Amino acid sequence: MKASNSLWKQKLAGSIAPELASELDIYDNEVLLRKTGKIDEKVFAETRLRRGAYGQRYDNGHRHDGVASRTLDFAPSDTSKGPGTLWDANGMQRIKIPFGGMNAAQLETMAELAEEYSDGIGHITTRQDFQLHFVHIEDTPALMRRLAASGITTREACGNTIRNVTGCPIAGVCRDQSFDVTPYASALTYFLLGHPDCQDFGRKFKISFSGCRDHACALAHMHDLGAVAAVRDGKRGFEIYVGGGLGSVPQQAKLFDEFLSEEELLPTAQAMARVFARLGEKKNRNTARLKFLITKLGLDEFKRLVKEERALLAPDPRWTSYLKDVPAYKEEALKAGSLLQVAPANRPEGFDTWKSYNVYQQRQSGYSTVTIALALGDITSAQLRALADVARAYTKETIRTTVEQNMVLRWVSDSDLVAVYNALKAAGLARPGASTISDVVACPGTDTCKLGISSSRGLAGELTSQLSARDSMDESVRNLHIKVSGCFNSCGQHHICDLGFYGVSRNKGGFAVPHFQVMLGGQWENNAGSYGLAIGAVPSKRIPEVVDRITSRYVSDRQAGESFHQFVKRIGKAACKAMIEDFTSVPAHDSDPSYYIDWADAREYSIGDIGIGECAGEVISPIDFQLAACERLTFEAQLALEAGEVAKASSTAYAAMVNGAKALVGLRVPVLGDDPETIVANFRTQYHDTQLFFDPFAGAKFAQYFFQAHERRAEAPSAERTHQLIEEAQLFIEAAHACYARMSVQATKQ
Amino acid sequence: MQHFRVKLPVTAGTQPDLGAAIPVFHRWIQKKTLPELLIDVADYRHVPMGPGVMLIGHDAHYSLSETGLLYNRRTAMDGSVRDRVLSAINASMTAAQFLETEAEFKGTLSFAMDVMEISVNDRALAPNNDATWEALQFDVRSALSVIWGPGAFQLERIGEPRELFTVRAVRK
């Protein structure tokens, strides 16, 4: 940590809004009090989370170095940042960027902070935040003061709060928008920030604003509250969607209101927050998101409760006071808009390719929005400063981050495009292919996330490198989207793209093998219009071949005008699965150890201690076969759902779970039979009550999926519920794999 | 002042295979090759003009990029300012020598040990201005004298005002 941290308080006195300065003084004291053991560690953990200071991988002081799990020898200390989290261990700082809007000075601040407190890299997330990794907790007060002095807060960046309010990065310049949603996103952000009605949630709450229905820029359908701009009878308002979310079991948001007037936006959001705080689950975090409350209550009852709550609210002038400024709100250009006047022969090498993908013609004649395509969302401190220079030289600092982990520079006069390209190129920021198949999105995964199972960034880096290097590519393939998550939690948004992947692990001969589940059928367009489903797990090292195989088939077999989403739907999941079948086998450790090492790593792969020290060449155990059969059943459920056989799909998914539980219970109760009641009862006593089945982070979540499926097995299933049940069955089987792996390791140690 | 950074450029014409640094750095963690607490390896090869491959540590980060090896001190060091500068230089040179002799790099990677850039990664204590230059010059010269001999080098400030305070030292 920096010896100079205390100096920033004096240096920045007067530069920070008094209320914020006071908040940060309090936080500074809390850090000090926790260091001296005067605040409970759980209280401090929630305190820092609400300030965006998050845990990071290995912060429990242990790391598997490829040979064994070793203790990281931090200086002895009795202090922790939270349960099982060492004081000196690296942490992640998330920084909220409302609707992605930034100016040049803020980029420069970010550059300084990345350099001084992190590893010199700023990382843009899939929700338009910035993240800095490898940050010491004692540096966070100074870091936050420096952000505050440039107008950025980290308040409520994590924890059970209203998270960053995201917005379309081309709002205001978009050719298809109903109107510019920026002032509304800004007003709602600051209205709800620290609002007393938003301090007692059981879980986080995410909001997004989109200017149109059709494009994906703000992903309205995957948010707790998605607002899509609409105009009715000349009046502005919003189509409101509620209860969307990805996570382990994704749900599409439901239409709450076809047209909510602009005057009602803030009070309705406040009323929604109050209902969520009052009735949302508090004890079981796995069912605490708004989507679960809406499922439990039903949409109509939720609507009724929100409207009832709205009627009871005491009027607040902030609801509408900002509206008087909305008509006048507009960004301005630095220069007059004019045509690009450099003849093709005189344009720099690479310019035309870059322009074709990274330049968007604005609705305002003579102006473009330029996308700075950042590989995996990473940008260096030097690049942040260079981008600040470009933003000042060619625009009025109209910069935004995007949910595709990129940045955009708005209001570039077309006549300046060559100069902007040259400046960006000199800084290493002119990578072409924005929003194409080579612009791969990935969550942090095993690089820094405590929940990561496989290396999402390693795979994404490899795919980016391979796909960017191709000289030629069919245009229909180039426009596909790939997203990668390191686990089922979907921070990489693997459900809402053409080719999605999420990390899982498998055992082979006693060794752990990194895999990715392949997700097809999702849709990025139409504000995340539909979610994909898993078709099978493939070893990590073979995923690039999977991408090649599937995209080649799409090129050769697609019908005229057929989108990838339509293509997958037409050929069906069985054909898709057949395409990847020959990639699923894993050679023995002795014959090809490369399968047992993840991308961008050199260590033997493991999750904790799994897979190490076990005998290579061990025969596959019966339970491996049984769990593989369960996966097959889950897939058959998908096929049935695809064919419209909802009841069959539901019962097959349920059967997959019962058989998975049976396989595990069979390890402890040899004569079990097939009666589901007996299997459930035994699973409960042997695996749930003993916590043997509990996921290290998700706890009883996956066991609860099974119990709920059993309790609801007689209900007439809807297609939506069945889609969810299939997801749950897949995760239950994954958890069974993980449970068995943990048991195997335990047995080896004994 | 505590948080010194030292960058050693690769020899002109050298293009290190950055991917090879991944197994090397993991091995250094396993074998505790360096005196600092080493934690993990971060692969930033996808970032143009980026840090390349980083060896993440508690006390210091090391990164090998196309342009050189950077030592970035994170925790406080003992001794006078001169001692700390000298420690940072020695740490970077030691790591560079280790890298040159690793099997993955043998004969393909070398560092220009007669040039280095020294920065202070703390803008509160060392803003990039003349006052810092005045305050630090003696200690940096003194530390470099230990490495290259008194008067055997030239020292100049480099970089723009927004960057960290940085000097370039070139052995005569």
Side-chain angles (χ1 to χ4, degrees):
Chain A
M1 77 291 306
K2 291 280 189 283
S4 63
N5 282 335
S6 60
L7 298 178
W8 286 107
K9 185 175 175 181
Q10 300 151 26
K11 276 178 174 288
L12 299 174
S15 309
I16 304 174
E19 192 184 336
L20 189 50
S22 168
E23 278 177 23
L24 292 174
D25 289 346
I26 292 168
Y27 175 70
D28 203 347
N29 288 337
E30 285 166 333
V31 172
L32 187 63
L33 288 169
R34 177 60 207 148
K35 190 179 180 187
T36 50
K38 290 175 183 156
I39 300 181
D40 175 73
E41 64 175 2
K42 285 185 182 170
V43 174
F44 181 70
E46 181 61 15
T47 300
R48 65 174 166 78
L49 283 170
R50 287 183 182 223
R51 291 269 158 212
Y54 222 83
Q56 200 175 298
R57 205 168 178 90
Y58 314 128
D59 66 8
N60 62 355
H62 297 283
R63 177 182 179 274
H64 202 286
D65 69 2
V67 178
S69 183
R70 315 269 192 206
T71 299
L72 298 171
D73 297 321
F74 293 106
S77 166
D78 294 332
T79 312
S80 68
K81 293 188 279 188
T85 311
L86 300 185
W87 186 256
D88 276 330
N90 290 319
M92 178 270 278
Q93 180 65 51
R94 183 175 295 150
I95 299 162
K96 284 169 105 170
I97 308 293
F99 57 88
M102 298 186 82
N103 59 35
Q106 289 171 335
L107 291 182
E108 288 167 340
T109 299
M110 213 62 81
E112 291 186 0
L113 302 183
E115 216 159 41
E116 291 182 52
Y117 302 116
S118 175
D119 59 352
I121 292 284
H123 175 73
I124 293 168
T125 75
T126 52
R127 294 202 73 257
Q128 295 178 304
D129 299 292
F130 255 83
Q131 281 182 186
L132 302 177
H133 294 96
F134 311 110
V135 175
H136 195 283
I137 188 69
E138 290 180 45
D139 288 338
T140 55
L143 183 156
M144 290 174 197
R145 284 196 172 98
R146 295 170 76 175
L147 283 170
S150 67
I152 296 175
T153 181
T154 67
R155 183 172 182 180
E156 296 169 4
C158 302
N160 299 330
T161 59
I162 304 275
R163 298 293 186 85
N164 191 36
V165 174
T166 59
C168 171
I170 53 169
V173 299
C174 171
R175 297 193 299 269
D176 306 318
Q177 67 179 18
S178 296
F179 55 83
D180 185 353
V181 295
T182 307
Y184 302 94
S186 178
L188 189 57
T189 294
Y190 294 104
F191 174 65
L192 294 179
L193 183 68
H195 196 293
D197 290 341
C198 305
Q199 303 305 307
D200 188 26
F201 293 164
R203 203 75 171 83
K204 60 191 170 186
F205 191 100
K206 296 178 176 176
I207 299 175
S208 143
F209 280 83
S210 179
C212 72
R213 275 188 197 169
D214 302 335
H215 301 301
C217 311
L219 307 170
H221 290 150
M222 51 151 276
H223 281 78
D224 294 285
L225 194 172
V228 179
V231 175
R232 183 180 282 184
D233 301 330
K235 273 201 59 97
R236 286 181 172 191
F238 294 90
E239 204 171 75
I240 299 290
Y241 292 86
V242 293
L246 295 179
S248 51
V249 179
Q251 281 191 25
Q252 285 272 342
K254 295 176 172 61
L255 184 63
F256 176 87
D257 198 332
E258 283 183 359
F259 187 83
L260 183 72
S261 69
E262 59 181 357
E263 293 85 359
E264 280 301 303
L265 177 67
L266 269 57
T268 301
Q270 183 185 351
M272 223 175 263
R274 287 172 67 91
V275 170
F276 180 51
R278 192 174 76 240
L279 299 176
E281 172 63 42
K282 297 279 172 58
K283 288 181 183 163
N284 181 2
R285 68 192 304 276
N286 295 323
T287 56
R289 288 290 293 273
L290 183 69
K291 60 187 175 183
F292 296 106
L293 178 63
I294 292 173
T295 301
K296 184 175 149 195
L297 296 173
L299 181 62
D300 290 341
E301 175 63 3
F302 178 73
K303 279 186 193 175
R304 190 191 68 74
L305 286 165
V306 171
K307 287 188 172 142
E308 184 180 82
E309 193 74 35
R310 162 68 189 95
L312 294 172
L313 289 177
D316 185 330
R318 293 176 297 169
W319 289 345
T320 52
S321 58
Y322 74 99
L323 291 174
K324 67 180 185 310
D325 300 323
V326 168
Y329 173 84
K330 68 169 187 179
E331 280 183 347
E332 290 180 347
L334 181 67
K335 300 187 179 186
S338 58
L339 294 173
L340 173 62
Q341 290 172 334
V342 181
N346 297 328
R347 293 174 188 174
E349 188 186 350
F351 172 81
D352 288 327
T353 304
W354 172 81
K355 181 174 174 288
S356 64
Y357 295 106
N358 296 41
V359 176
Y360 173 84
Q361 198 66 55
Q362 293 184 186
R363 65 191 287 128
Q364 296 86 1
S365 175
Y367 292 102
S368 291
T369 291
V370 166
T371 298
I372 295 98
L374 303 172
L376 313 190
D378 291 341
I379 184 166
T380 68
S381 293
Q383 288 171 330
L384 283 163
R385 284 190 283 269
L387 185 55
D389 290 341
V390 175
R392 284 195 181 100
Y394 299 100
T395 71
K396 284 197 172 176
E397 307 177 29
T398 39
I399 308 151
R400 297 205 187 179
T401 57
T402 80
V403 295
E404 290 187 279
Q405 301 181 299
N406 292 327
M407 300 182 90
V408 296
L409 192 56
R410 302 142 55 99
W411 292 99
V412 175
S413 173
D414 288 348
S415 60
D416 285 334
L417 282 172
V418 169
V420 167
Y421 171 76
N422 285 332
L424 292 175
K425 192 174 180 188
L429 290 172
R431 189 169 77 95
S435 205
T436 66
I437 194 168
S438 64
D439 195 12
V440 181
V441 166
C443 71
T446 50
D447 278 19
T448 51
C449 176
K450 292 207 266 194
L451 305 179
I453 295 172
S454 301
S455 178
S456 46
R457 279 169 59 87
L459 173 61
E462 184 63 27
L463 290 173
T464 299
S465 168
Q466 290 193 20
L467 294 165
S468 301
R470 295 198 183 159
D471 294 332
S472 64
M473 187 183 283
D474 189 279
E475 208 55 22
S476 63
V477 171
R478 193 182 297 280
N479 292 324
L480 300 181
H481 291 90
I482 296 179
K483 294 176 188 285
V484 190
S485 298
C487 74
F488 50 78
N489 279 306
S490 200
C491 298
Q493 303 176 340
H494 57 259
H495 292 93
I496 50 168
C497 58
D498 300 295
L499 292 152
F501 304 98
Y502 74 88
V504 294
S505 76
R506 291 286 184 272
N507 275 288
K508 170 80 177 179
F511 292 87
V513 188
H515 277 62
F516 280 91
Q517 275 285 358
V518 181
M519 307 280 291
L520 294 180
Q523 206 178 13
W524 171 245
E525 295 76 14
N526 301 318
N527 268 307
S530 62
Y531 295 168
L533 280 171
I535 62 165
V538 173
S540 298
K541 287 293 170 73
R542 304 212 69 180
I543 294 293
E545 294 168 86
V546 166
V547 171
D548 278 348
R549 173 77 58 83
I550 294 174
T551 53
S552 299
R553 174 81 181 272
Y554 173 50
V555 170
S556 61
D557 290 5
R558 79 189 177 108
Q559 295 174 348
E562 190 176 45
S563 71
F564 186 76
H565 178 71
Q566 291 164 334
F567 166 75
V568 168
K569 208 168 174 181
R570 176 172 62 78
I571 69 168
K573 292 274 167 43
C576 292
K577 189 174 176 67
M579 268 192 275
I580 65 168
E581 205 63 53
D582 55 323
F583 295 123
T584 57
S585 63
V586 179
H589 186 276
D590 283 350
S591 65
D592 191 349
S594 71
Y595 277 72
Y596 300 78
I597 297 170
D598 213 339
W599 289 109
D601 208 330
R603 294 170 291 170
E604 176 113 350
Y605 175 76
S606 73
I607 297 175
D609 293 333
I610 292 172
I612 299 302
E614 295 188 345
C615 175
E618 186 179 72
V619 293
I620 296 172
S621 68
I623 192 170
D624 283 323
F625 285 118
Q626 289 166 320
L627 292 178
C630 295
E631 285 186 79
R632 193 179 61 247
L633 277 176
T634 311
F635 184 70
E636 285 169 8
Q638 285 191 44
L639 296 180
L641 183 63
E642 193 175 69
E645 299 171 279
V646 176
K648 183 182 173 189
S650 178
S651 62
T652 308
Y654 168 67
M657 294 169 107
V658 172
N659 287 353
K662 184 184 170 188
L664 283 178
V665 174
L667 296 171
R668 305 191 139 213
V669 183
V671 183
L672 188 63
D674 291 324
D675 173 36
E677 289 292 350
T678 309
I679 293 168
V680 170
N682 277 282
F683 180 80
R684 190 182 292 280
T685 54
Q686 297 288 340
Y687 285 90
H688 175 270
D689 296 348
T690 58
Q691 302 193 359
L692 200 55
F693 192 75
F694 281 23
D695 181 87
F697 293 99
K701 182 178 188 172
F702 305 120
Q704 292 299 340
Y705 290 162
F706 175 46
F707 296 144
Q708 282 165 20
H710 181 66
E711 282 164 19
R712 299 178 64 180
R713 67 193 183 284
E715 291 177 15
S718 65
E720 186 184 15
R721 166 60 194 151
T722 303
H723 188 289
Q724 187 181 335
L725 181 65
I726 293 169
E727 286 272 2
E728 291 174 352
Q730 184 65 50
L731 293 167
F732 180 78
I733 305 307
E734 294 295 349
H737 274 293
C739 176
Y740 176 58
R742 288 193 299 272
M743 291 167 70
S744 303
V745 171
Q746 205 58 40
T748 307
K749 286 179 176 172
Q750 285 167 355
Chain B
M1 290 181 214
Q2 288 285 352
H3 308 283
F4 291 99
R5 304 197 326 177
V6 176
K7 173 133 190 200
L8 301 175
V10 292
T11 308
T14 303
Q15 282 194 314
D17 172 10
L18 300 182
I22 293 175
V24 170
F25 285 161
H26 276 293
R27 206 159 56 233
W28 286 10
I29 298 171
Q30 285 167 353
K31 296 185 173 176
K32 299 188 176 180
T33 301
L34 300 174
E36 296 102 339
L37 170 57
L38 305 176
I39 296 173
D40 202 12
V41 179
D43 179 8
Y44 288 119
R45 286 176 295 166
H46 55 275
V47 181
M49 302 177 191
V53 176
M54 291 187 74
L55 175 54
I56 299 291
H58 174 61
D59 304 298
H61 297 325
Y62 293 82
S63 50
L64 179 67
S65 69
E66 286 153 354
T67 57
L69 177 72
L70 179 70
Y71 172 83
N72 186 0
R73 184 75 192 184
R74 303 182 73 203
T75 53
M77 291 188 280
D78 293 332
S80 64
V81 172
R82 170 195 168 276
D83 294 340
R84 294 172 202 157
V85 175
L86 190 55
S87 292
I89 294 171
N90 282 329
S92 64
M93 290 182 127
T94 301
Q97 284 159 0
F98 284 171
L99 277 175
E100 285 175 347
T101 55
E102 287 289 352
E104 287 85 345
F105 290 118
K106 214 159 191 176
T108 64
L109 174 65
S110 63
F111 294 92
M113 296 291 199
D114 52 357
V115 183
M116 66 178 75
E117 291 173 8
I118 302 168
S119 317
V120 193
N121 193 4
D122 189 332
R123 287 177 172 84
L125 290 175
N128 191 359
N129 59 26
D130 293 343
T132 300
W133 175 231
E134 289 303 317
L136 203 57
Q137 204 176 150
F138 175 81
D139 290 311
V140 172
R141 287 186 185 281
S142 177
L144 285 167
S145 296
V146 175
I147 304 291
W148 287 331
F153 55 89
Q154 288 179 324
L155 201 59
E156 61 167 344
R157 267 179 79 189
I158 58 167
E160 54 135 314
R162 293 176 301 177
E163 293 177 354
L164 295 172
F165 174 85
T166 303
V167 294
R168 175 184 284 130
V170 181
R171 192 176 186 179
K172 286 179 186 168

